């Protein structure tokens, strides 16, 4: 029988939007786990460290070297518990990651369950599972992101005040609603390179005051053009129709399935339902973009202002000493605990009725669980099976995130 608590080793992918070498927090944290053979190459970008049982980039048991999905599959009842198995099947239903973002990720949505099932049947190599992928992102420092649509009134104000945008309207004097917004997004995404370039050149010549409270567009436009090009339609969709948020450490967002988003810069904790499905349509070469018809038809409008995107924290009954808060998105697959301790402080997390993955992003201390004491340091990652109480004692100020399902 496997131990219910064991340390994990993880790895990073190398998407070009990641940060290079030791500038990447994802890579730096990944390299902290001892005896893994992971070495940072300063010439490579390191984008994401995955910490789940998804088979694309699976975590492994540090001692055994066995992939986490195999360990879980062989010990389902012990590690997941009957409730979790009945609810989600014999897998860890969430996928936590650390992301280090240097340039904008592709403008994307994640299909809902119905569409994901359909796409998986049609193309299982590209859409590798039939699940949806709502997600949260928690800032570990300054974090810039486009997420969800702006209020229709704010979009209306731009398209009324800026003549170059008239070419994308379905008709003159239109009042923006969700259907008009979908049509406008489609027209932008299907416009020619020349139309997109001309529009961006014309927008750059308009005085900043014409943009009203959305004058940040003028500053962000050349930055996006430098990262991609003046022909990228994602520049216009993001700047004109989507919320732009600049978050600080601890602040978070929730992105439901089918909501558009593009992370722009920063280091974050990300956690999502167990899926790897995505539809990209901007901030990428046109040849790499997915079907625009599919993208726009799948859009939903569940978030329609910046405040609806934000995800706050609250106290949690799982904390015994009040040092832990919870990010609880409106979905069933997971919540995320954050424990913050100063030197010498202690915390105990009550037993959870499902699996969890915990990882330290700062400091060091001791972790006591299932009768054993473990060192826990910045970058260390542990799997914790259902029904296990976990205690921490900080040697040096300690921040621990714990994604869990029950």
């Amino acid at each position: 029988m496997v131990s219910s608590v064991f340390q994990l080793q993880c790895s990073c992918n190398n998407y070009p939007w990641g940060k290079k070498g030791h500038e990447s927090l994802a890579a730096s944290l990944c390299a902290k786990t001892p005896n893994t053979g992971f070495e940072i190459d300063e010439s490579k970008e390191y984008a994401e460290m995955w910490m789940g049982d998804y088979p694309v980039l699976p975590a492994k048991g540090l001692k055994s070297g066995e992939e986490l999905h195999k360990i879980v599959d062989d010990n389902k009842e012990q590690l997941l518990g009957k409730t979790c198995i009945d609810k989600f099947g014999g897998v860890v239903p969430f996928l936590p990651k650390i992301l280090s973002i240097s340039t904008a990720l592709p403008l994307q949505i994640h299909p809902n369950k119905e569409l994901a099932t359909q796409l998986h049947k049609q193309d299982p190599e590209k859409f590798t599972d039939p699940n949806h992928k709502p997600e949260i992102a928690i800032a570990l420092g300054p974090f810039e992101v486009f997420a969800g649509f702006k209020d229709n009134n704010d979009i209306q104000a731009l398209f009324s005040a800026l003549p170059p945008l008239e070419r994308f309207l379905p008709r003159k004097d239109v009042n923006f609603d969700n259907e008009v917004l979908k049509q406008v997004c489609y027209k932008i995404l299907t416009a020619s390179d020349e139309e997109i370039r001309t529009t961006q050149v014309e927008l750059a010549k308009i005085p900043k005051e014409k943009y009203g409270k959305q004058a940040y567009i003028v500053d962000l436009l050349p930055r996006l053009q430098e990262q991609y090009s003046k022909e990228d339609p994602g520049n216009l969709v993001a700047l004109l129709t989507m919320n732009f948020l600049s978050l600080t450490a601890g602040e978070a967002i929730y992105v439901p399935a089918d909501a558009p988003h593009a992370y722009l810069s920063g280091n974050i904790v990300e956690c999502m339902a167990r899926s790897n499905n995505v539809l990209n349509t901007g901030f990428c070469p046109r040849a790499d973009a997915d079907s625009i018809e599919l993208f726009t038809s799948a859009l939903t409008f569940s978030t329609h202002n910046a405040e609806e995107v934000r995800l706050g924290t609250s106290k949690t009954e799982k904390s015994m000493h009040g040092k832990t808060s919870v990010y609880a998105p409106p979905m069933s697959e997971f919540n995320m605990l954050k424990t913050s301790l100063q030197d010498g402080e202690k915390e105990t997390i009550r037993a959870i009725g499902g699996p969890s993955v915990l990882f330290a992003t700062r400091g060091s201390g001791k972790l006591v669980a299932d009768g054993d004491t473990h060192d826990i340091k910045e970058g260390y990652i542990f799997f914790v099976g259902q029904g296990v109480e976990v205690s921490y004692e900080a040697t040096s100020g300690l921040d621990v995130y714990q994604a869990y399902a029950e």
Side-chain angles (χ1 to χ4, degrees):
M1 185 174 71
V2 70
S3 171
S4 289
V5 180
F6 52 91
Q7 192 169 356
L8 297 175
Q9 57 175 304
C10 299
S11 53
C12 290
N13 55 31
N14 304 104
Y15 295 133
W17 49 261
K19 296 184 179 183
K20 276 194 172 183
H22 280 86
E23 292 181 0
S24 168
L25 181 65
S28 296
L29 291 178
C30 190
K32 298 285 187 182
T33 299
N35 305 317
T36 65
F38 179 80
E39 295 184 2
I40 298 175
D41 183 336
E42 295 299 336
S43 68
K44 287 185 177 181
E45 293 90 1
Y46 294 92
E48 302 173 327
M49 177 172 68
W50 290 27
M51 298 177 283
D53 71 343
Y54 200 85
V56 170
L57 197 66
K60 299 177 182 179
L62 178 60
K63 288 185 178 179
S64 69
E66 191 173 20
E67 292 184 352
L68 180 57
H69 61 86
K70 179 68 166 56
I71 299 173
V72 169
D73 192 54
D74 289 343
N75 303 274
K76 290 189 187 72
E77 290 281 350
Q78 176 193 348
L79 298 180
L80 302 181
K82 186 177 185 304
T83 300
C84 189
I85 293 170
D86 291 345
K87 200 172 181 181
F88 302 111
V91 297
V92 178
F94 54 83
L95 176 56
K97 304 178 182 179
I98 299 290
L99 271 62
S100 291
I101 306 152
S102 178
T103 59
L105 277 68
L107 176 60
Q108 60 189 252
I109 61 173
H110 303 300
N112 61 27
K113 283 188 177 181
E114 181 180 359
L115 180 57
T117 299
Q118 174 189 330
L119 294 173
H120 179 61
K121 286 181 179 179
Q122 293 173 353
D123 189 354
E125 289 192 10
K126 178 176 174 61
F127 301 99
T128 52
D129 60 77
N131 201 16
H132 67 168
K133 193 182 173 186
E135 62 192 27
I136 67 171
I138 305 168
L140 292 172
F143 171 45
E144 297 175 306
V145 57
F146 293 105
F149 286 113
K150 299 176 183 179
D151 186 281
N152 280 331
N153 291 329
D154 291 336
I155 302 172
Q156 179 92 52
L158 288 174
F159 279 78
S160 298
L162 307 175
L165 303 182
E166 291 179 3
R167 57 173 59 93
F168 302 119
L169 294 174
R171 58 190 179 277
K172 286 189 175 182
D173 302 321
V174 68
N175 289 315
F176 267 79
D177 58 21
N178 291 342
E179 185 54 40
V180 170
L181 177 53
K182 185 176 287 191
Q183 293 176 36
V184 167
C185 288
Y186 181 82
K187 290 195 75 169
I188 293 174
L189 292 169
T190 56
S192 68
D193 286 355
E194 181 59 34
E195 284 180 295
I196 297 297
R197 185 190 311 109
T198 298
T199 302
Q200 294 188 48
V201 170
E202 291 172 347
L203 288 175
K205 295 177 180 178
I206 295 175
K208 206 169 185 178
E209 56 267 21
K210 291 288 187 181
Y211 289 81
K213 66 180 183 180
Q214 302 177 73
Y216 66 87
I217 291 172
V218 179
D219 299 320
L220 277 178
L221 180 57
R223 184 172 156 196
L224 295 177
Q225 289 171 339
E226 183 179 351
Q227 290 184 14
Y228 292 95
S229 74
K230 292 183 179 179
E231 292 80 32
D232 194 317
N235 298 345
L236 296 180
V237 171
L239 289 170
L240 301 173
T241 72
M242 294 171 62
N243 301 301
F244 173 69
L245 295 92
S246 184
L247 305 185
T248 58
E251 294 183 313
I253 61 169
Y254 167 64
V255 181
D258 295 340
H261 58 288
Y263 300 157
L264 188 55
S265 70
N267 295 309
I268 63 172
V269 170
E270 186 183 49
C271 195
M272 62 208 62
R274 187 183 187 271
S275 175
N276 195 34
N277 294 323
V278 64
L279 295 168
N280 297 325
T281 192
F283 301 151
C284 62
R286 286 191 187 254
D288 295 342
D290 290 297
S291 163
I292 294 169
E293 289 79 6
L294 181 60
F295 180 91
T296 53
S297 67
L299 286 174
T300 59
F301 304 92
S302 53
T303 51
H304 233 317
N305 64 60
E307 290 310 306
E308 290 178 351
V309 174
R310 292 179 179 271
L311 177 67
T313 61
S314 58
K315 294 180 179 179
T316 172
E317 61 184 14
K318 302 198 180 300
S319 166
M320 292 183 67
H321 302 301
K323 304 296 184 180
T324 300
S325 56
V326 62
Y327 299 87
M331 54 185 289
S332 62
E333 283 86 351
F334 69 88
N335 287 336
M336 179 74 75
L337 302 176
K338 182 188 178 183
T339 300
S340 292
L341 301 177
Q342 301 304 316
D343 296 6
E345 289 186 334
K346 299 178 180 181
E347 173 65 299
T348 297
I349 306 299
R350 291 184 171 91
I352 292 171
S356 61
V357 173
L358 64 86
F359 47 97
T361 59
R362 180 183 70 95
S364 62
K366 297 294 183 182
L367 181 156
V368 179
D370 202 30
D372 293 321
T373 300
H374 307 265
D375 289 330
I376 184 167
K377 301 178 182 179
E378 179 180 297
Y380 281 25
I381 308 153
F382 290 84
F383 180 89
V384 180
Q386 59 86 25
V388 177
E389 184 178 276
V390 175
S391 294
Y392 308 109
E393 181 173 357
T395 305
S396 167
L398 182 64
D399 287 343
V400 179
Y401 290 85
Q402 183 171 356
Y404 72 92
E406 61 180 2

